[in-house]
Amino acid sequence: MEKVFLWILQAFCGGDKADCRCEAGVSKKVKGTVVLMKKNVLDFNDFNASVLDRGHELLGQKVSLQLVSAVHGDPENGLQGKLGKPAYLEEWITTITPLTAGDSAFKVTFDWEEEVGVPGAIIVQNNHHSQFYLKTITLEDVPGEGRVHFVCNSWVYPADRYKKDRVFFSNKTYLPSQTPAPLMKYREEELVNLRGDGTGELQEWERVYDYAYYNDLGNPDKGPKYARPVLGGSAEYPYPRRGRTGRPPTKTDPNSESRVPVLMSLNIYVPRDERFGHLKMSDFLAYALKAVAQLLKPELESICDSTPNEFDSFQDVLKLYEGGIKLPSPLLESLKENIPLEMIKELVRTDGGRASRVPHASKKTAWRTDVEFCREMLAGVNPVMIRRLEEFPPASTLEPKIYGNQSSSMREELIQKQLNGLTVKQAIKMNRLFILDHHDAIMPYLRRINTTTTKMYASRTLLFLKDDGTLKPLAIELSLPHPEGDEFGAISKVYTPADQGVEGSIWQLAKAYAAVNDSGYHQLISHWLNTQAIEPFVIATNRQLSVLHPIHKLLHPHFRDTMNINAFARQIVINAGGILETTVFPAKYSMEMSSAVYKNWIFPEQALPADLIKRGVAVEDANSPHGLRLLIEDYPYAVDGLEIWSAIKMWVEDYCSFYYKSDETVQKDKELQSWWKELVQEGHGDKKDEPWWPKMQTVKDLTETCTITIWVASALHAALNFGQYPYAGYLPNRPTLSRRYMPEEGTPEFEELKQNPDKAFLKTITPQLQTLLGISLIEILSMHSTDEVYLGQRDTPEWTADAEPLEAFERFGKKLAEVEERIISMNGDKRWKNRVGPVEVPYMLLYPTSEGGVTAKGIPNSVSI
């Protein structure tokens, strides 16, 4: 087929493959290189698109490029940059596309025109049939300038899809007031285009960033069971905003947005350049999750029903990881028919269809020890909840008029013997008492949650800091709403550690109930609400900050793929009846509960130092590293996190100080002020009147805001996400559901607990089907793609033309490498007992770099999975 095209080309051009349209007598040419990726689908060459594009080339419908002057305005065009004559990509037909999705380099030759001078932008017009992904354009030997580089990284669709020309700017960086006058209009119009007009359903090729409520989680047209409240836009259900799609409302509820059919999940709208990259494993993620949720679920149900949805022993659970449960051949055949081969290799191992690898936390019975139970509060998948106890018994912040007395029923005599000779008052004063407290977050929903198949408690876990730096549990309080009504307070029971007989089995169950609380809170609040829901920052940045703006260049890498992964989550993970509701205890109340917690969300407290101080686990100390002294010295998340935080902060300060020499520069930056105003008033519109928002009047306001944003998108998300499979993949270690209450003496359940404690434990926590679904989800979510870009890295080395920021960024990368070496060294030091623990899993989640796959380490730049 290639030979046929070459023959046709030669017939048209008289044997010369070159484009023959060069004008005679032009003395100066400027040559350029354009790097792009032709349209490919799932890494396979799209042959039809290739044929049609070549046909358009033969008919003279080519890809044109026009230089836009940065130095000379056109009086006939409102003094916008003077346009050069169109030039065309050369040898499109003879440039053979790689068999898999990959880059192709094309030459382009511009006639040099004095009236254009130095170009600051390029207009690209695609007159082909198909879109392509434009990566970079590089001009060589531009008179008066030399090399000019354009970082594009954008899909360019056929010109008839756009109302305005596609404009790409060179990699120079300008504050709005410093923008060359001929480029100003282009800069402003590009932002207007990206905002859209707020109407209509948005289409695949559009690049519109706009806001919407979370009104697409439910599906009321499917029946009342699938209706969910709209999150955002009300005092009852406040929420950060998501990206607008413009889909029509449901027939049943005009306030709810209709949903994309499951089979079309990959086509849910996000701005085109926010979609997963062609080589990124997130494409695989999307297919894999869809397979788990929609294809495997009925097949797995049929398997589990025959057993009937119960594990009989811990050995049964281990079989999930040790190559044990062999998937039946009909299931394998079903997979092969519905999922591309590459996906099957990842979902179902090729060693005879056996399931997943052994996660580290399944090590023998180490996960059951009190030491490991406590260690994971400091170095597990949710190390952001533990706080110092400041009063005893622990108090509640719930409104007494509504919920009655919710204070703890713990008493000193229950824990006195475990305090190493101290009184409770002394232990509090010496900073030795800590608590994992999920009581207030869960209690308002507990009565409703327990009307479902879930049967659980709101928990408080009291902890003592030992002399060796480890924690030991003192007591676990399990509470239920009063049967006569919320206003009568809570019914609570306190359990203390035991390791023998039925008392030991009851203690193991008490820890499991506390772990269920922590698992659900981790997924809904720590992980989803506090990191994934960074979407308003993505939207506001693209709507209000030009690609020429220094803060856009600073933040943009930290938003890669976030809108797409969140859109996909709305489709099959956090939606009504989705994987989260199926596998996590709040069930249909999951997202509603996260809205209730958002009422207490405060932006400045997302900074790591502020969070540690708020939780009472650190105090300000000018003589300590990073200005903080940790009250739990061996707190791996906090120790490593502060190193990363400080490196990010130093980088942001170095970068911002190059562009913002004074507070006045911040105040007079109209794009920056519009960005911050919109982010607060639109992106977090339900909290727009809160007094704690930074005012964005000083360089300090700016650097702190950017540091928090980068921290949340990179390191915080990494700490909360990539340990899910290693720590929670073995469900008994971190169960997500409980199905019956603590057995009471004199009942058959209590007798079963005495006779077969392991089986009683397994019949209480997450059943087989939800375990299979949950593990499938968290294994995929714990993976790094092979082309991931990590903190301290960029996907293009020439992201700015300014030397000082590039040098500062290089220092940032070197600093992170030093941090990684220091963490590795500490993990090998036996003094730090919380670094490895009984399960022998070193705390690596804040290592800056990683290879691809499930590694339990590495900090990607963004919330990309």
Side-chain angles (χ1 to χ4, degrees):
M1 186 59 70
E2 294 289 346
K3 290 180 179 177
V4 173
F5 273 102
L6 289 174
W7 180 82
I8 295 171
L9 179 67
Q10 290 172 351
F12 268 76
C13 296
D16 185 358
K17 298 177 191 175
D19 190 325
C20 302
R21 292 175 305 100
C22 295
E23 295 179 17
V26 176
S27 59
K28 178 64 181 172
K29 303 285 186 183
V30 172
K31 294 188 177 298
T33 303
V34 177
V35 178
L36 57 80
M37 185 190 73
K38 295 184 181 182
K39 179 178 181 287
N40 287 268
V41 179
L42 283 177
D43 289 355
F44 291 99
N45 184 253
D46 187 338
F47 187 71
N48 288 337
S50 180
V51 170
L52 289 166
D53 287 345
R54 291 172 182 218
H56 283 234
E57 276 284 312
L58 290 170
L59 295 172
Q61 296 170 316
K62 301 172 181 287
V63 176
S64 74
L65 300 91
Q66 273 183 290
L67 301 181
V68 181
S69 177
V71 291
H72 299 305
D74 184 352
E76 297 180 6
N77 192 22
L79 293 178
Q80 293 189 67
K82 186 82 172 176
L83 295 180
K85 296 174 183 174
Y88 299 87
L89 289 191
E90 298 164 12
E91 299 186 353
W92 180 280
I93 295 175
T94 57
T95 301
I96 298 173
T97 307
L99 289 176
T100 57
D103 299 341
S104 301
F106 296 88
K107 298 298 180 187
V108 61
T109 304
F110 295 92
D111 291 337
W112 176 246
E113 300 165 80
E114 284 290 341
E115 58 266 34
V116 172
V118 178
I122 288 184
I123 293 174
V124 178
Q125 193 167 67
N126 176 10
N127 296 307
H128 285 175
H129 169 271
S130 308
Q131 66 269 31
F132 56 80
Y133 185 73
L134 181 61
K135 297 192 78 171
T136 60
I137 303 170
T138 307
L139 307 182
E140 305 290 352
D141 301 322
V142 176
E145 185 72 11
R147 189 170 182 273
V148 181
H149 187 67
F150 299 78
V151 178
C152 305
N153 289 334
S154 181
W155 283 96
V156 179
Y157 276 70
D160 60 5
R161 294 292 195 190
Y162 298 122
K163 296 174 184 175
K164 296 284 186 179
D165 288 332
R166 292 302 314 275
V167 178
F168 297 93
F169 298 95
S170 73
N171 65 342
K172 291 191 175 180
T173 305
Y174 300 108
L175 293 173
S177 61
Q178 299 167 343
T179 309
L183 297 180
M184 199 65 212
K185 190 76 171 173
Y186 290 102
R187 177 175 183 148
E188 293 170 350
E189 285 185 351
E190 177 69 358
L191 287 174
V192 171
N193 293 339
L194 291 169
R195 292 174 202 142
D197 60 9
T199 64
E201 183 170 357
L202 296 167
Q203 303 300 319
E204 170 196 332
W205 55 86
E206 295 194 74
R207 304 163 57 238
V208 171
Y209 295 80
D210 205 353
Y211 302 96
Y213 302 140
Y214 276 76
N215 63 349
D216 64 342
L217 301 180
N219 191 356
D221 290 349
K222 201 174 173 181
K225 178 182 175 183
Y226 293 94
R228 294 293 181 272
V230 173
L231 304 184
S234 68
E236 185 178 8
Y237 299 117
Y239 221 63
R241 304 300 188 250
R242 64 168 175 92
R244 175 181 171 271
T245 68
R247 295 193 303 269
T250 60
K251 297 172 185 174
T252 311
D253 177 11
N255 294 318
S256 293
E257 186 173 273
S258 57
R259 293 179 53 76
V260 175
V262 169
L263 292 177
M264 300 295 288
S265 289
L266 288 183
N267 294 331
I268 186 169
Y269 174 79
V270 292
R272 185 62 184 93
D273 293 336
E274 301 298 332
R275 293 179 72 88
F276 296 137
H278 61 292
L279 291 176
K280 185 170 173 56
M281 181 272 277
S282 297
D283 263 353
F284 150 68
L285 159 73
Y287 274 94
L289 286 182
K290 185 171 73 173
V292 169
Q294 307 304 329
L295 179 74
L296 295 186
K297 186 175 177 181
E299 299 279 3
L300 291 172
E301 279 177 337
S302 66
I303 299 169
C304 296
D305 283 349
S306 62
T307 59
N309 204 15
E310 295 292 351
F311 293 111
D312 294 321
S313 68
F314 288 116
Q315 190 58 38
D316 277 1
V317 188
L318 277 169
K319 284 179 182 177
L320 284 175
Y321 312 101
E322 294 177 344
I325 76 164
K326 185 166 183 176
L327 301 179
S329 54
L331 177 54
L332 288 177
E333 291 305 312
S334 178
L335 283 170
K336 289 174 184 174
E337 289 173 12
N338 288 275
I339 308 176
L341 180 62
E342 314 86 81
M343 316 305 176
I344 296 176
K345 288 177 183 174
E346 201 50 54
L347 277 172
V348 182
R349 308 296 176 224
T350 52
D351 55 354
R354 298 188 183 278
S356 223
R357 299 175 290 277
V358 183
H360 309 300
S362 66
K363 182 178 172 60
K364 296 182 180 178
T365 58
W367 63 271
R368 304 183 75 164
T369 63
D370 288 355
V371 175
E372 183 62 25
F373 174 68
C374 294
R375 184 188 82 93
E376 291 188 20
M377 300 177 198
L378 303 172
V381 74
N382 193 30
V384 296
M385 290 302 300
I386 186 172
R387 62 179 176 85
R388 181 165 54 89
L389 190 71
E390 298 181 26
E391 60 179 320
F392 186 87
S396 170
T397 58
L398 293 176
E399 177 57 55
K401 291 180 182 177
I402 301 173
Y403 296 104
N405 180 14
Q406 294 287 338
S407 293
S408 174
S409 62
M410 292 182 188
R411 295 296 174 261
E412 184 161 356
E413 54 269 24
L414 274 175
I415 61 173
Q416 182 68 60
K417 293 180 181 178
Q418 301 295 319
L419 297 180
N420 290 13
L422 301 174
T423 64
V424 167
K425 190 174 181 179
Q426 289 170 328
I428 289 175
K429 188 175 181 180
M430 295 173 66
N431 301 322
R432 302 292 286 271
L433 288 182
F434 295 84
I435 190 169
L436 186 72
D437 190 347
H438 292 298
H439 182 280
D440 285 2
I442 291 169
M443 182 57 74
Y445 283 87
L446 193 53
R447 190 184 302 277
R448 284 176 284 171
I449 289 169
N450 284 343
T451 63
T452 69
T453 55
T454 294
K455 299 292 179 277
M456 61 167 285
Y457 303 90
S459 69
R460 292 182 175 109
T461 303
L462 195 62
L463 308 149
F464 181 77
L465 179 62
K466 295 162 59 180
D467 292 338
D468 66 358
T470 63
L471 295 167
K472 69 176 180 181
L474 298 174
I476 294 174
E477 180 184 57
L478 302 178
S479 302
L480 289 170
H482 197 286
E484 294 180 20
D486 289 348
E487 66 273 20
F488 293 99
I491 302 293
S492 303
K493 189 167 183 180
V494 179
Y495 299 87
T496 53
D499 56 12
Q500 299 294 324
V502 70
E503 291 83 6
S505 301
I506 287 172
W507 175 244
Q508 290 296 330
L509 280 175
K511 290 194 294 183
Y513 290 119
V516 168
N517 275 200
D518 198 58
S519 292
Y521 195 95
H522 163 255
Q523 287 291 16
L524 292 169
I525 312 303
S526 303
H527 183 199
W528 170 260
L529 179 64
N530 290 344
T531 68
Q532 300 278 157
I534 198 172
E535 198 162 342
F537 284 82
V538 186
I539 299 169
T541 300
N542 282 281
R543 283 170 56 88
Q544 298 296 342
L545 297 179
S546 164
V547 293
L548 292 166
H549 198 286
I551 302 305
H552 186 285
K553 289 182 190 287
L554 174 68
L555 296 180
H556 186 257
H558 302 288
F559 301 147
R560 182 189 189 211
D561 295 336
T562 301
M563 289 188 73
N564 206 353
I565 192 65
N566 285 358
F568 197 74
R570 299 199 311 274
Q571 269 294 102
I572 70 161
V573 179
I574 62 174
N575 60 303
I579 297 176
L580 200 70
E581 288 193 358
T582 305
T583 59
V584 176
F585 75 80
K588 65 180 286 187
Y589 302 106
S590 294
M591 293 302 288
E592 185 179 330
M593 196 175 103
S594 74
S595 168
V597 175
Y598 175 66
K599 291 176 182 178
N600 298 317
W601 180 89
I602 296 174
F603 176 72
E605 291 178 356
Q606 308 311 303
L608 178 61
D611 171 61
L612 296 173
I613 290 169
K614 180 187 178 185
R615 291 191 282 120
V617 295
V619 293
E620 292 186 35
D621 182 355
N623 297 319
S624 296
H626 319 299
L628 286 185
R629 178 168 58 86
L630 293 173
L631 300 181
I632 304 175
E633 188 181 6
D634 186 9
Y635 186 173
Y637 162 75
V639 172
D640 300 353
L642 284 170
E643 293 274 3
I644 301 293
W645 168 270
S646 296
I648 294 171
K649 184 180 179 186
M650 185 181 298
W651 151 237
V652 171
E653 287 175 347
D654 287 350
Y655 181 85
C656 289
S657 66
F658 179 76
Y659 297 102
Y660 295 91
K661 304 299 184 186
S662 67
D663 293 343
E664 185 181 17
T665 317
V666 172
Q667 296 160 14
K668 291 187 174 180
D669 183 340
K670 62 180 183 180
E671 284 185 9
L672 186 73
Q673 295 302 321
S674 296
W675 169 69
W676 190 243
K677 180 180 180 181
E678 181 175 285
L679 181 58
V680 173
Q681 296 190 356
E682 298 291 337
H684 284 276
D686 301 324
K687 287 187 164 286
K688 64 185 178 183
D689 297 322
E690 297 285 1
W692 40 254
W693 285 109
K695 305 304 180 191
M696 204 53 68
Q697 294 296 298
T698 65
V699 177
K700 185 181 179 186
D701 286 345
L702 176 61
T703 56
E704 288 183 350
T705 295
C706 292
T707 302
I708 292 172
T709 305
I710 293 172
W711 161 259
V712 168
S714 59
L716 181 60
H717 177 258
L720 296 167
N721 181 72
F722 293 103
Q724 289 187 84
Y725 187 72
Y727 286 101
Y730 183 65
L731 254 294
N733 186 52
R734 280 186 69 80
T736 59
L737 294 170
S738 54
R739 297 174 285 152
R740 60 186 192 181
Y741 297 121
M742 183 73 83
E744 297 287 344
E745 200 164 356
T747 63
E749 289 81 7
F750 193 85
E751 280 303 307
E752 182 182 46
L753 186 66
K754 286 168 62 177
Q755 300 301 322
N756 193 341
D758 287 358
K759 188 167 185 177
F761 183 96
L762 291 167
K763 285 173 77 172
T764 301
I765 65 165
T766 317
Q768 269 187 335
L769 172 61
Q770 284 86 342
T771 296
L772 291 164
L773 286 172
I775 290 167
S776 298
L777 173 66
I778 64 175
E779 180 177 7
I780 293 162
L781 293 180
S782 298
M783 283 186 171
H784 292 298
S785 64
T786 53
D787 67 342
E788 190 61 82
V789 184
Y790 296 94
L791 193 64
Q793 302 174 355
R794 290 270 179 155
D795 58 3
T796 175
E798 296 181 79
W799 54 275
T800 180
D802 294 327
E804 282 190 42
L806 288 173
E807 290 166 5
F809 188 68
E810 187 177 353
R811 291 196 299 273
F812 177 46
K814 288 178 179 177
K815 178 66 175 176
L816 290 173
E818 292 170 9
V819 170
E820 185 162 326
E821 289 299 319
R822 193 148 50 242
I823 296 172
I824 292 170
S825 175
M826 291 186 75
N827 281 348
D829 189 334
K830 301 292 185 186
R831 287 180 302 163
W832 308 114
K833 298 182 184 302
N834 294 325
R835 289 236 156 228
V836 177
V839 294
E840 297 180 10
V841 181
Y843 187 71
M844 306 185 297
L845 291 172
L846 289 175
Y847 282 20
T849 59
S850 174
E851 60 276 7
V854 179
T855 65
K857 61 183 179 180
I859 303 175
N861 267 327
S862 62
V863 179
S864 59
I865 195 165

